[in-house]
Each structure stands twice: as C-alpha cells, then as structure tokens.
Amino acid sequence: MEQNKVIVRYIDGRVVKGFVQDFFPSKECFHLRPLDNAAGNGLQEIYIRDLKAIFFVRDFGGNPSYKERKAYMEGERAQGRKVEVTFKDGEKQVGSTLGYDPNRSGFFFFPADDKCNNVRVFAIKSFVDSVRYI
C-alpha cells in the first residue's frame, strides 16, 4: 500500500514531514513515519486536536520560488464548492470541498492552484477561523 506524503502543521508552529497510512478524518489520532526515519519502524502518534492542518503533498521540498495562485480563474470549474479557508493564524487558502460540515472535526479541500505542491489539505476545525463560500 502506497503511503501518503504529508506535512503536519501543529497549532504551536511545529512542522513534521513524513509518511502516513492510517489517517481517517473520524479518528482522533493517526501514525506518522517521520521523513528522517522513512525506512525505520519509528512511528509517531499524532493527535488531531494538536494540529492546524495536514497537507498532503507531491514532494517534501516543494518549489520555494513558485507563487501559488490563491484564486480561481474566471470560468474555472471546481469539483465541489469553492471556499476560502482562513486559519486562526491568518493564513488563507482557496480551494474546493466536497465535504465541509461545521459539525465535524475537520474537512478536506483541494487547492485552487492544481500546480501547487499541496494535493489536498485536511483543515482542523478548531484552528479554522472561517470558511467562506466563493
């Protein structure tokens, strides 16, 4: 089974890169094999309540010079509803979601810029300031 590459961002600003196989939005925790221990057996238990978001990425390095598009182009279609997500730290992301429910612990959204490093993002409700349909 292929493992997903993720960048986990904690509420306190910590960042951990690694591989995850057992993440489910309805569970309170999952296990991560840190990037610096990708071949070993050292798994970290990660609790959703401690996180800002989980970024499912194409690669761990990304492209620092790439300027991610934070809006949809005119006439551009999206799967699901277009949203602007504002996190409590002020970061804004634009994308689309198929499953936003304010009563759940979090939700997936797909960035508007399909060429950015993030394939999808799981935003943790407790660290989301607002979700606005656009």
Side-chain angles (χ1 to χ4, degrees):
M1 177 181 226
E2 184 177 329
Q3 296 179 339
N4 290 298
K5 295 177 187 174
V6 296
I7 297 176
V8 174
R9 294 196 179 266
Y10 283 85
I11 293 169
D12 65 10
R14 286 181 293 148
V15 175
V16 179
K17 298 176 182 182
F19 300 91
V20 64
Q21 232 177 325
D22 65 345
F23 171 75
F24 293 98
S26 60
K27 291 192 172 189
E28 66 181 35
C29 68
F30 62 94
H31 295 90
L32 180 92
R33 182 178 304 352
L35 181 59
D36 57 6
N37 190 25
N41 293 323
L43 296 177
Q44 287 183 3
E45 193 167 59
I46 309 288
Y47 284 88
I48 298 295
R49 67 177 178 256
D50 299 329
L51 304 180
K52 167 187 176 174
I54 304 165
F55 296 85
F56 292 78
V57 297
R58 298 178 202 288
D59 65 69
F60 292 115
N63 179 354
S65 65
Y66 183 75
K67 300 293 183 206
E68 183 178 342
R69 183 169 41 93
K70 299 285 187 176
Y72 283 96
M73 295 170 25
E74 188 173 328
E76 186 177 11
R77 295 186 179 263
Q79 189 173 14
R81 295 198 63 185
K82 295 177 184 178
V83 292
E84 178 185 76
V85 178
T86 304
F87 292 96
K88 289 185 179 177
D89 63 1
E91 179 184 4
K92 289 186 180 189
Q93 293 274 328
V94 174
S96 65
T97 184
L98 296 169
Y100 173 65
D101 180 344
N103 298 314
R104 292 187 183 155
S105 64
F107 61 97
F108 279 106
F109 69 91
F110 301 87
D113 186 347
D114 63 356
K115 292 180 177 52
C116 75
N117 194 42
N118 296 324
V119 176
R120 68 183 186 264
V121 178
F122 186 76
I124 311 302
K125 179 184 151 191
S126 62
F127 201 74
V128 171
D129 192 44
S130 67
V131 175
R132 181 176 68 89
Y133 291 110
I134 55 177

